[in-house]
Amino acid sequence: MWDLLVAPFVEFGFMRRALVGCLAISLGATPVGVFLMLRRMSLTGDAMAHAILPGAALGYLAAGLSLTAMTIGGLAAGLAVALLSGVASRATALREDATLAAFYLISLALGVLIVSMRGGAVDLMHVLFGTVLALDDAALTLLCAIATITLFALAAFFRPLVLECVDPGFLRSVGGPSAAVHFLFLALAVLNLVGGFHALGTLMAVGIMILPAVAARFWAQGVGGLIAVAAVIAAGSGAAGLLLSFHLGSPSGPSIILVAGGAVVLSLFCGPVGGVLPRLARRTHLEA
Amino acid sequence: MTRAALQFQDLTLGYDRHPAVHHLCASIAAGSMTAIVGPNGAGKSTLLKAVAGALAPLAGAVLFEAARPRVAWLPQAADVDRSFPLSVGAFAAMGLWSRIGMFGGLGRGDRARLTAALEAVGMAGFADRPIGALSGGQMQRTLFARLLLQDAELILLDEPFVAIDARTTADLMALVARWRGEGRTVIAVLHDLEMVRAHFPQTLLLARELIAHGPTAEALSAANLLRARAMVEAPDPFAPVCERGPA
């Protein structure tokens, strides 16, 4: 048991670093994922992840595999797409899903163009699938900083964010910062995706954001409970996925996401809040 | 409490340059209770939207006597996401926004106010239930509890009793009547003329143009109602540009 679960982390520094990275992502990305899910924007995370690509690619072109350059590039591209689609939907008749789709597709095409014209296939794999087993100090610091910023920002904006989700018209009518909250939330999503792509790659980063949130829906009812359960599931998936990849020699990013996916399927059947099996079980009811 | 009086000054509201409310001149007295009555498409909801500040006029203005009062607006179809996991108590407590803002905690006084508001609308036992589990009438009661907590000087109700049963309507109407005693200004869009006659001293009869405004019995005369019904609802794509000056 020790050899199976603990020894890899005790004996190998890169496993410890990977674990810390995963825990940081779990804390920062899952609350964002919970709100994305509750706002029916689960697929927005996916779109945003694609939108980051050209920025990261440009950063790579400018400075090679540099953490700083790729982070700045990714942030710039992600925020630009979020801002442009938000402004376009508020200023025109288009809904935000349409404007976001338009801008992220432009961004994605640009990214693929840049990567395939200048970089090789290995670089593309790095951007798409990440390198959780090769996180250096700078990358770890970045992941932890992002988790910290996210938690503090969410704590500060929690009330208007919940209001913006439940009744945006009311928030506007009492003079609340409706647009500001929306953009801040999108910015947090972009920030976490950029952090996530260093570890898990642009495509897999969304997984650790959304999958634990979806699984948590079957275990908790309040927003706070959802966030707590999701964070635990994400952290557990990170540890389990790393161990799996260590023992089986499978790529680490997809392993982590698949464990989280397993948690979703398990919750779908067994979760007490609306899971399939509890629903099938015949239950007693109350008088009133 | 400051008393909110407002004036519609040659107000034209609309969408895509087609007027929904056309050159409206009227003033609403402070502490009054006014029903807005008119056929579908008469511009009633549009008028409330403009008073709430959510729609910019095409021409004219909504003028407030003093500074802009605290306004509480219950839209016709409040776009509440009822699948969001939030309790009835927390939802109603949003009405305290103007007191506690983004960061303020709920003090003991606020909690007492929240409990009192839920009791006043008959939702006392529901504080911990999720809003997704409420019926339509219970949701409307909860929205009224939030409205109570907003403690607004000017209250705008847009068809608040549609699809609500008689008992709930009577309960909520009693609350509205009490607001008048507290000096609040109430403007409500209503279709039930019996209710208007029974509870609202003032009526503004609107059919894009102002048909009548004054004491309810006079405004809702048979002749006025007939004129209101004659309004042509569809916009005319070939209508010329309106040249009417300020009245």
Side-chain angles (χ1 to χ4, degrees):
Chain A
M1 208 58 176
W2 175 271
D3 283 349
L4 214 57
L5 299 182
V6 186
F9 295 117
V10 174
E11 285 170 26
F12 297 99
F14 71 89
M15 284 292 280
R16 279 199 298 278
R17 291 171 164 279
L19 187 64
V20 170
C22 284
L23 290 181
I25 294 177
S26 305
L27 283 177
T30 48
V32 174
V34 166
F35 275 104
L36 280 173
M37 175 191 67
L38 290 175
R39 302 187 71 178
R40 298 185 197 136
M41 289 167 65
S42 301
L43 292 174
T44 299
D46 202 37
M48 283 296 179
H50 288 84
I52 289 167
L53 195 62
L58 278 179
Y60 173 74
L61 280 189
L65 273 178
S66 145
L67 183 77
T68 325
M70 288 173 72
T71 303
I72 294 175
L75 268 180
L79 290 178
V81 168
L83 209 64
L84 281 174
S85 59
V87 169
S89 74
R90 276 163 202 252
T92 69
L94 281 179
R95 294 254 184 175
E96 186 142 11
D97 62 324
T99 55
L100 184 63
F103 284 109
Y104 105 74
L105 287 168
I106 294 170
S107 191
L108 177 64
L110 209 62
V112 172
L113 190 84
I114 295 169
V115 171
S116 53
M117 275 175 69
R118 299 292 300 273
V122 179
D123 306 321
L124 187 62
M125 289 301 275
H126 168 84
V127 173
L128 290 180
F129 299 113
T131 49
V132 70
L133 296 179
L135 292 174
D136 58 9
D137 283 350
L140 274 188
T141 312
L142 178 76
L143 290 180
C144 293
I146 287 176
T148 311
I149 292 171
T150 306
L151 290 179
F152 275 99
L154 280 179
F157 275 83
F158 194 76
R159 186 176 290 163
L161 183 57
V162 167
L163 252 173
E164 169 75 9
C165 298
V166 181
D167 194 350
F170 177 79
L171 184 62
R172 277 192 293 275
S173 82
V174 293
S178 169
V181 166
H182 182 67
F183 285 118
L184 184 93
F185 176 68
L186 286 180
L188 285 181
V190 170
L191 193 64
N192 278 283
L193 288 170
V194 169
F197 96 75
H198 289 299
L200 301 168
T202 53
L203 294 182
M204 295 293 138
V206 197
I208 206 68
M209 190 176 267
I210 299 294
L211 288 173
V214 173
R217 195 76 161 112
F218 294 99
W219 300 95
Q221 268 173 333
V223 182
L226 283 172
I227 291 175
V229 173
V232 169
I233 291 177
S237 307
L242 285 174
L243 286 171
L244 214 62
S245 102
F246 180 84
H247 292 301
L248 301 180
S250 56
S252 47
S255 302
I256 293 171
I257 302 307
L258 276 177
V259 173
V264 170
V265 175
L266 188 76
S267 308
L268 198 73
F269 282 101
C270 306
V273 186
V276 172
L277 293 180
R279 271 196 180 179
L280 286 179
R282 204 178 175 83
R283 293 175 61 196
T284 55
H285 64 272
L286 307 174
E287 286 268 357
Chain B
M1 172 163 306
T2 59
R3 289 155 70 84
L6 65 144
Q7 203 181 355
F8 304 122
Q9 196 182 58
D10 195 35
L11 182 66
T12 296
L13 305 164
Y15 309 94
D16 297 331
R17 296 176 71 214
H18 290 291
V21 171
H22 207 192
H23 295 287
L24 174 66
C25 293
S27 54
I28 307 278
S32 67
M33 218 165 132
T34 306
I36 300 185
V37 177
N40 287 136
K44 308 182 295 294
S45 299
T46 303
L47 184 60
L48 286 199
K49 211 191 250 184
V51 175
L55 181 71
L58 293 179
V62 179
L63 298 177
F64 293 98
E65 193 180 66
R68 195 182 155 72
R70 260 211 308 285
V71 181
W73 174 37
L74 183 61
Q76 190 171 11
D79 81 51
V80 176
D81 177 1
R82 293 185 45 194
S83 66
F84 196 91
L86 197 67
S87 70
V88 168
F91 181 82
M94 299 191 312
L96 293 165
W97 177 276
S98 65
R99 294 173 53 82
I100 58 178
M102 261 173 70
F103 304 111
L106 287 180
R108 190 174 301 170
D110 294 320
R111 283 182 197 286
R113 238 172 252 128
L114 174 61
T115 311
L118 287 176
E119 259 167 30
V121 298
M123 293 292 289
F126 288 84
D128 295 324
R129 297 282 294 152
I131 50 172
L134 298 182
S135 74
Q138 288 164 347
M139 190 66 213
Q140 197 68 2
R141 285 170 182 264
T142 307
L143 285 168
F144 263 80
R146 184 174 76 177
L147 214 55
L148 283 176
L149 289 172
Q150 282 186 265
D151 190 28
E153 291 134 19
L154 173 59
I155 299 172
L156 310 172
L157 306 172
D158 199 345
E159 303 197 18
F161 306 123
V162 169
I164 303 294
D165 71 7
R167 188 178 130 197
T168 305
T169 302
D171 287 355
L172 296 180
M173 194 58 232
L175 282 178
V176 175
R178 203 189 308 160
W179 285 335
R180 189 178 168 224
E182 293 166 350
R184 303 176 205 273
T185 309
V186 179
I187 305 179
V189 171
L190 292 168
H191 278 299
D192 181 349
L193 296 185
E194 290 314 307
M195 171 178 279
V196 173
R197 290 196 175 102
H199 297 285
F200 286 80
Q202 300 285 314
T203 294
L204 194 155
L205 184 57
L206 191 67
R208 193 171 306 136
E209 312 273 344
L210 178 66
I211 303 289
H213 181 208
T216 297
E218 294 168 28
L220 292 184
S221 71
N224 284 340
L225 288 173
L226 199 64
R227 274 176 60 209
R229 214 172 297 160
M231 179 192 81
V232 179
E233 210 178 310
D236 179 359
F238 306 109
V241 172
C242 174
E243 305 277 7
R244 206 188 306 178

